[in-house]
Amino acid sequence: MGRRRGVELYRAPFPLYALRIDPKTGLLIAAGGGGAAKTGIKNGVHFLQLELINGCLSASLLHSHDTETRATMNLALAGDILAAGQDAQCQLLHFQVHQQKGSKAEKSGSKEQGPRQRKGAPPAEKKSGAQVHPEGVELKVKNLEAVQTDFSNEPLQKVVCFNHDNTLLATGGTDGHVRVWKVPSLEKVLEFKAHEGEIGDLTLGPDGKLVTVGWDFKASVWQKDQLVTQLQWQENGPASSNTPYRYQACRFGQVPDQLGGLRLFTVQIPHKRLRQPPPCYLTAWDSSTFLPLRTRSCGHEVISCLSVSDSGTFLGLGTVTGSVAIYIAFSLQGVFLYGFCSCCVSALLL
C-alpha cells in the first residue's frame, strides 16, 4: 500500500485539532487554536466551502468563528449544532447557511466581490456574527449553552459524541467519568465512573449501548451506567502477551446491505513506544456478543484516531506522524495511505 501525497485544500492560521463535514451543506468545519497562552495564535472554528474547479478540489473560507481564549480540541456534529470540546467545557454552537437575495455582492458586480480565499491565503475575519461569501452565501454562527464536563485536577474534555437521534450527547475526559447531557439544554441526565484515569474515546450505538476506552487498558460496554461486558482483545489477539496494548479508539458503524446491522471497530496500540515498535491493530467486533470477528495489523505508526463512513463501507485511520489510511470495513483490507495531517481522517470519510 504505497503512500500518496494529499492535495492541500486549506491552510488555517492555527493548529487544527478537529474536522467535520456537514452532509447537508457540504461544508468542511475545521477547529483548533493556540489555547490560552499569549503566543499570538488565535483560536477559532472555520467554515469552508468545498468546490471542484477545473477538476481540482478547492476550499473557500465562508466564516471564521472566534472562540476567544479556548482552542477546540474535539468536535461532534448533529444537524446544525456543533458540540465543541474546549478545555474542560463543552460549548454548543448553532450555525445557519442561506443564500442572500439581492445582496450587495450580486448588485455591484465583480468589482466589490473581491478574491476568493484559497489554500494558503490568510482568512479575513469579521467581528459580526455573519460573513458573506462572494457568491452571496451567508453563514451565521451563534453560541448556545456551555457546561463544564471534566473535573480532574487538570480538567480536559477528551471526546464528545451525539446519540443516533441527536437528543443526547456524551462526554469523557481526564477524570474518567462519562457524562450524558440533553441537547440543546445541556441538562445532565447521567454520570458514572467508567475508567481509572482518562477516557480515550467513546461511541454511542442506536440501541443505547455506550462503548468507552481508557488508559487503564480497558474497553467497556455500558447500558446507561451498568457495565454489560468488557472487550477481550489482548487475551484473544495476535499480540505477544509480554507487549501490553491499550485501546486507542472505538466507533460503531453500519453494516452495508444489512438493515439495522451494526458493527463495532476498535484500534489497539502498544502502551509503550519501543525502539523497534510493534504493530498497531484494527479489530471488528460483533455488536451483539462483543466477540472479535477479525483483526488486522495496520502498521507501525501509532494510530491517533478512527473514523467510519456513514455507509459503513470504509474506515479511516490517522497517525501521530500525519498519515491517513483507508480500509474496507468488511475485510479490514487497506486501500490507500495518504500523507495528510491525522485530524483529516474525521472529515475524509464523511
Side-chain angles (χ1 to χ4, degrees):
M1 184 172 60
R3 180 180 300 219
R4 303 183 183 186
R5 183 65 190 172
V7 177
E8 181 180 305
L9 292 176
Y10 178 72
R11 186 176 292 271
F14 46 71
L16 291 175
Y17 295 111
L19 294 175
R20 288 292 181 270
I21 286 184
D22 177 17
K24 182 179 179 181
T25 63
L27 292 180
L28 172 62
I29 304 167
K38 297 180 180 180
T39 60
I41 301 176
K42 294 186 176 182
N43 303 292
V45 179
H46 282 190
F47 295 79
L48 308 169
Q49 180 169 313
L50 299 177
E51 300 171 284
L52 273 176
I53 299 179
N54 297 326
C56 296
L57 194 62
S58 181
S60 305
L61 179 66
L62 286 182
H63 183 82
S64 175
H65 179 72
D66 184 11
T67 57
E68 300 178 348
T69 61
R70 301 181 302 277
T72 298
M73 304 297 291
N74 42 84
L75 199 62
L77 175 64
D80 55 5
I81 293 180
L82 286 168
Q86 300 170 350
D87 299 329
Q89 74 171 26
C90 184
Q91 172 72 61
L92 293 187
L93 303 171
H94 177 264
F95 66 95
Q96 186 176 17
V97 184
H98 66 273
Q99 191 79 27
Q100 285 281 85
K101 293 184 178 180
S103 65
K104 291 182 179 180
E106 293 174 348
K107 292 178 180 178
S108 59
S110 60
K111 290 184 179 180
E112 294 186 11
Q113 287 183 7
R116 285 175 177 267
Q117 291 180 353
R118 299 296 179 202
K119 59 182 182 181
E125 299 192 17
K126 294 184 180 181
K127 293 183 179 179
S128 65
Q131 287 180 226
V132 179
H133 193 262
E135 283 74 15
V137 177
E138 185 182 57
L139 190 145
K140 295 183 179 180
V141 181
K142 180 174 68 173
N143 286 336
L144 300 178
E145 300 295 328
V147 67
Q148 184 172 348
T149 61
D150 194 81
F151 296 88
S152 63
N153 293 332
E154 297 181 1
L156 180 65
Q157 178 178 299
K158 297 295 296 292
V159 62
V160 57
C161 74
F162 287 93
N163 68 341
H164 70 288
D165 61 1
N166 301 330
T167 58
L168 300 171
L169 66 84
T171 60
T174 54
D175 65 1
H177 284 251
V178 169
R179 296 175 176 90
V180 181
W181 315 83
K182 287 184 180 180
V183 178
S185 67
L186 291 187
E187 175 189 349
K188 185 167 62 177
V189 297
L190 184 66
E191 177 182 352
F192 62 94
K193 180 79 169 179
H195 294 275
E196 297 297 330
E198 67 183 55
I199 293 175
D201 202 4
L202 57 81
T203 181
L204 280 162
D207 59 354
K209 286 191 174 64
L210 169 72
V211 177
T212 62
V213 301
W215 278 63
D216 56 2
F217 302 93
K218 295 179 180 179
S220 302
V221 182
W222 307 87
Q223 191 75 53
K224 294 187 176 179
D225 58 351
Q226 298 300 307
L227 180 64
V228 176
T229 188
Q230 290 184 339
L231 303 186
Q232 304 292 329
W233 180 83
Q234 184 94 20
E235 295 78 358
N236 303 307
S240 170
S241 59
N242 58 7
T243 303
Y245 277 72
R246 65 176 176 84
Y247 298 90
Q248 173 72 356
C250 58
R251 286 290 182 276
F252 279 113
Q254 294 184 16
V255 179
D257 302 324
Q258 184 178 325
L259 184 63
L262 203 63
R263 194 158 289 152
L264 175 68
F265 300 94
T266 62
V267 167
Q268 294 78 232
I269 66 171
H271 180 60
K272 294 182 179 180
R273 297 187 183 184
L274 306 175
R275 180 172 297 180
Q276 293 183 336
C280 299
Y281 289 94
L282 176 62
T283 303
W285 304 78
D286 185 287
S287 63
S288 299
T289 63
F290 292 99
L291 295 175
L293 297 173
R294 59 188 61 88
T295 289
R296 184 177 292 271
S297 169
C298 48
H300 295 269
E301 295 184 64
V302 178
I303 305 300
S304 59
C305 54
L306 165 68
S307 185
V308 184
S309 65
D310 288 344
S311 65
T313 305
F314 296 106
L315 307 175
L317 299 179
T319 73
V320 296
T321 55
S323 300
V324 169
I326 308 299
Y327 288 78
I328 298 172
F330 173 75
S331 63
L332 303 187
Q333 179 182 351
V335 181
F336 294 114
L337 179 62
Y338 294 93
F340 293 140
C341 67
S342 61
C343 70
C344 291
V345 69
S346 61
L348 190 64
L349 297 174
L350 297 177

